[in-house]
Amino acid sequence: MTDPIPAASAPGTVVHELSDLELGTDLRFVPGVGHDRAVLLAKLGLRAAGEALFFFPRNYEFPSIETKLPDLKEGVPASLVGVVTEVELRSGAAGKSTLGVLVENDEGAFRIVFYNQAFRADQIERGMRVLVSGTPKLVGLRWQFTHPKVTTLGPDEDPPPGKILPLYGLTDGIKQYAMRRMLAGIAPHLASHVREVLPAEIRQSAGERLGCALPDIDVALREIHQPSGEDALRQARTRLVFQELLVMQLALALRRRRLTTDLASPPLTATPEIDLRIQKRFPFALTGDQVRTIAEVGQDMGRQFPMNRLVQGDVGSGKTVIAQYAMLLAVAHGYQAMLMAPTEILARQHYETLTKALAHSRVRIGLLTGSLPAVQRQALVKEAVEGKVDVIVGTQALLYGEWTPAKLGLVVIDEQHKFGVGQRAMLRSGGLDPHYLVLSATPIPRTMAMTMFGDLDVSTLREKPPGRKPVRTYLGRDNWRERWWKFVREHLDEGRQAFVVTPRVADSPRELDDADESAETSTTQGDKELGETPDSLESISSAESVFQELAEGGLKGYRIGLLHGRMSANEKAAVMQRFAQGRLQVLVSTTVIEVGIDIPNATVMTILGAEHFGLAQLHQLRGRVSRGKVAGHVCVFTDSEGSPEENERLQVFADTSDGFELAEADFRLRGPGDLMGTQQSGMPPLRVADLQRDQKILHVARELAQEIVDADSELTAPEFESLKKQVLKRYGKVLDLGDVA
Ligand code: ADP
Ligand code: MG
């Protein structure tokens, strides 16, 4: 051990030899880091050396054998190292630019060129050592690479053949090679300080199921930062991914257990008489999937601990029936049920459906939404608290009140994919926990179901109610518009109704669409005057202008209504009602109609500015016209000049009508984050695992986690001690696992 405090260091600082590093060593004191860089690293959340050790590369640069300049051949890919000696950016008209860079090494010089990527001028500096990979071409007497891959190398960093270079996610001011050098210093010294948390047996078992040996933690940590080869890297990564996913799945398995065994709910048994009584109210024969799901729900609700079930089904698969069944089951036992919908329109629709279905029964139903006047709201809350209402339907505004229903037996959350793990509020009443039923608007890719909703049991409705006609989806080119409106008119003349959907409310300066819920839950409605109109917004179709255009043009003479989230709840309800009753033939609307709206006579939908919508959203919209016994038609037009065929997302949308396939495609195209709003799930982000790429590891982790918890429900065996600590540290709070500890 060397003296940790050399005489020359400034007072109060501790300069460490690499061999003295501890996991907790402040990065400022790690040799070669220093104060300034430490400040930048803190932006990445890295303060201690041990944190840096767990900051894994985002990707790797795989070696390409370095080529000598004289050996270059036209059209044959090559990699060369050299120093940048000239950088020249020439700007032309209309944002066009040419960036020319001269690179020299002992054998001579070559040029690299980027067209219209002026930003690269900031990334490439004179004096920088670079590894250039691409396909060379002789221009005059000089070799040139157009748009090559350029990797920055440290002053004395060589790309020896076979060495895989890690690429880290960076923050401004930190160079890739500085990051590499720091970790090359830290990893070999600190890797062995990290405690092994995976018991040997589990590693063995996981390794067998994955067909890949899982190395020790110190080997894995060294290899992930400084791979000695592709196989070693793959094994290291597999081990770290497995560990990360196992910790997550253990947390979810513990939570599932906790939700079932530690909590008490009223058993609401579906006796044959009750079952018959409820089923008699359905005006149609149930699909096989509905029958099965109802049986599952009945079984769950008959137990003395809460049901936690997710029902996922494509739009129009008939999820509402399941909710009705569950609610009536609660009511049959003298308990209350709550139904929460994401929008006021949807809440109202549920209220009306239920009121109709229960017209000649003694079930009392209340509608509680954000727009209800305070006096009426209070009155309804009072009734609910006193147990005088059986079913309370409403928006999330329901949740915000500081009140508890008298005898709450069931909470149904409809069409709400943002209710991830840890977000389902626990509403207790009378010392008991209600049963929970979550209906998902979007079919959930398997991996998501196993993570974000991993503490729920899942029922899937794949089968559509009989007689459903498929929806046809067309990609509308610009010059089709006239023909399309003619087609729409023909349908209206046959007595059908049509939706026209736009991404924006008005041409006035304002953000894109307006989800209904934001109108209810946020207070930022008066910010109209704030923004200026960005150029990009001006060209986006708005509901108000489309409404005007159609009324005077394509759909002149038809009864057209306008619906958007900036209207008051009462205005919205009135328009919806007129459309539902057929008094309006056409509804021009923003995405406030996205979820749930059920109007079987509406069979034609036009989506304008379709490039502004996500896949899941488009599919939800399409679901509005696939509910009747008549085939639906959807045509999407884009605002931009390109035809919709050039847009991969729209192409996928038109080609795929199955919501489950589409969800998987969306997952592939955009990653899990966008699809479901993983940020909103409340789950901590993953460091190494990629849910898309690592599905197999996820399955194995889930399987093993369940086996472990089945055998040792509190992870009390000594070999699980460190693993359990990690689980609690990372997920204890989010998943409320406190009392497992
Ligand atoms: P979603 O799953 O999208 O919420 P809904 O529950 O709103 O779907 O059902 C869509 C439509 O299908 C409704 O009009 C509903 O009455 C009808 N429906 C549901 N189940 C059946 C069935 N088994 N047979 C016939 N129609 C059904
Ligand atoms: Mg629904």
Side-chain angles (χ1 to χ4, degrees), residues 284-287 290 315-320 415 465 468 598 627:
F284 34 65
L286 301 184
T287 66
Q290 284 171 328
V315 281
S317 58
K319 295 183 287 290
T320 315
E415 305 281 17
R468 261 314 135 71
D598 185 23
R627 312 176 78 80

Side-chain angles (χ1 to χ4, degrees), residues 369-671:
T369 58
S371 67
L372 205 63
V375 180
Q376 283 176 42
R377 183 191 156 88
Q378 263 156 24
L380 182 55
V381 165
K382 186 159 174 283
E383 284 184 336
V385 171
E386 290 169 358
K388 291 184 185 148
V389 194
D390 302 302
V391 175
I392 311 148
V393 183
T395 54
Q396 289 155 39
L398 270 179
L399 264 183
Y400 302 142
E402 303 255 304
W403 58 278
T404 332
K407 263 185 112 182
L408 186 61
L410 171 76
V411 175
V412 181
I413 300 165
D414 185 30
E415 305 281 17
Q416 178 56 284
H417 47 254
K418 283 175 192 152
F419 267 90
V421 159
Q423 288 211 313
R424 293 183 296 281
M426 280 296 180
L427 294 158
R428 311 190 93 216
S429 82
L432 290 176
D433 293 279
H435 295 281
Y436 275 88
L437 183 65
V438 179
L439 310 183
S440 165
T442 318
I444 297 168
R446 276 180 63 70
T447 46
M448 300 300 297
M450 277 192 271
T451 51
M452 284 181 60
F453 298 93
D455 60 342
L456 296 171
D457 296 311
V458 179
S459 305
T460 303
L461 301 180
R462 273 215 168 249
E463 208 177 328
K464 293 263 164 83
R468 261 314 135 71
K469 287 289 190 320
V471 195
R472 300 234 163 79
T473 305
Y474 316 96
L475 297 177
R477 293 196 204 119
D478 242 357
N479 55 5
W480 278 23
R481 287 186 199 246
E482 225 165 283
R483 268 169 62 200
W484 173 253
W485 293 122
K486 179 165 177 279
F487 178 82
V488 174
R489 289 195 301 270
E490 286 167 10
H491 278 255
L492 297 178
D493 293 341
E494 285 170 18
R496 310 261 160 246
Q497 287 165 283
F499 289 105
V500 179
V501 185
T502 71
R504 210 153 69 97
V505 182
D507 289 332
S508 64
R510 188 60 207 242
E511 69 280 7
L512 279 181
D513 95 275
D514 54 338
D516 191 41
E517 64 248 64
S518 66
E520 296 193 330
T521 55
S522 86
T523 50
T524 55
Q525 291 199 58
D527 59 356
K528 278 179 221 172
E529 64 280 9
L530 285 181
E532 287 160 33
T533 312
D535 286 350
S536 55
L537 270 189
E538 268 166 2
S539 52
I540 300 176
S541 297
S542 80
E544 285 179 356
S545 60
V546 166
F547 173 76
Q548 289 293 333
E549 278 164 35
L550 288 177
E552 287 154 20
L555 299 179
K556 193 170 173 177
Y558 292 87
R559 299 185 301 278
I560 311 179
L562 177 64
L563 183 74
H564 57 70
R566 265 197 265 161
M567 294 161 53
S568 76
N570 288 338
E571 286 173 322
K572 277 188 279 191
V575 171
M576 243 4 263
Q577 200 176 20
R578 282 167 60 209
F579 189 61
Q581 292 168 345
R583 285 191 281 149
L584 288 173
Q585 294 168 288
V586 181
L587 191 62
V588 178
S589 146
T590 58
T591 52
V592 289
I593 57 145
E594 175 183 335
V595 288
I597 299 295
D598 185 23
I599 297 179
N601 190 45
T603 55
V604 186
M605 176 174 281
T606 314
I607 302 177
L608 300 170
E611 72 272 35
H612 302 293
F613 296 111
L615 257 185
Q617 209 173 15
L618 287 167
H619 188 62
Q620 278 299 318
L621 287 169
R622 173 164 61 188
R624 301 311 115 221
V625 293
S626 48
R627 312 176 78 80
K629 297 218 173 340
V630 180
H633 300 271
V634 175
C635 190
V636 299
F637 290 99
T638 56
D639 284 337
S640 55
E641 283 167 32
S643 84
E645 278 134 79
E646 290 163 23
N647 185 315
E648 191 181 3
R649 190 150 29 97
L650 295 180
Q651 192 74 57
V652 169
F653 172 61
D655 291 346
T656 317
S657 59
D658 180 90
F660 286 92
E661 266 176 54
L662 210 67
E664 298 287 351
D666 203 17
F667 193 62
R668 276 197 307 276
L669 283 176
R670 308 204 297 162

Side-chain angles (χ1 to χ4, degrees), residues 55-62 149-152 164-170 176 179-180 224-225:
F55 186 70
F56 300 131
R58 180 172 42 77
N59 208 340
Y60 297 85
E61 174 79 35
F62 288 92
K149 189 135 119 214
V150 180
T151 309
T152 324
I164 302 169
L165 290 178
L167 298 173
Y168 295 91
L170 298 175
Q176 195 58 257
M179 200 73 170
R180 282 204 293 264
I224 198 91
H225 289 292

Side-chain angles (χ1 to χ4, degrees), residues 237 241 244-245 667 672 686 688-695:
R237 192 177 174 279
V241 169
E244 180 165 51
L245 294 175
F667 193 62
L686 294 167
V688 257
D690 171 339
L691 293 181
Q692 218 165 307
R693 175 174 167 187
D694 300 318
Q695 300 200 11

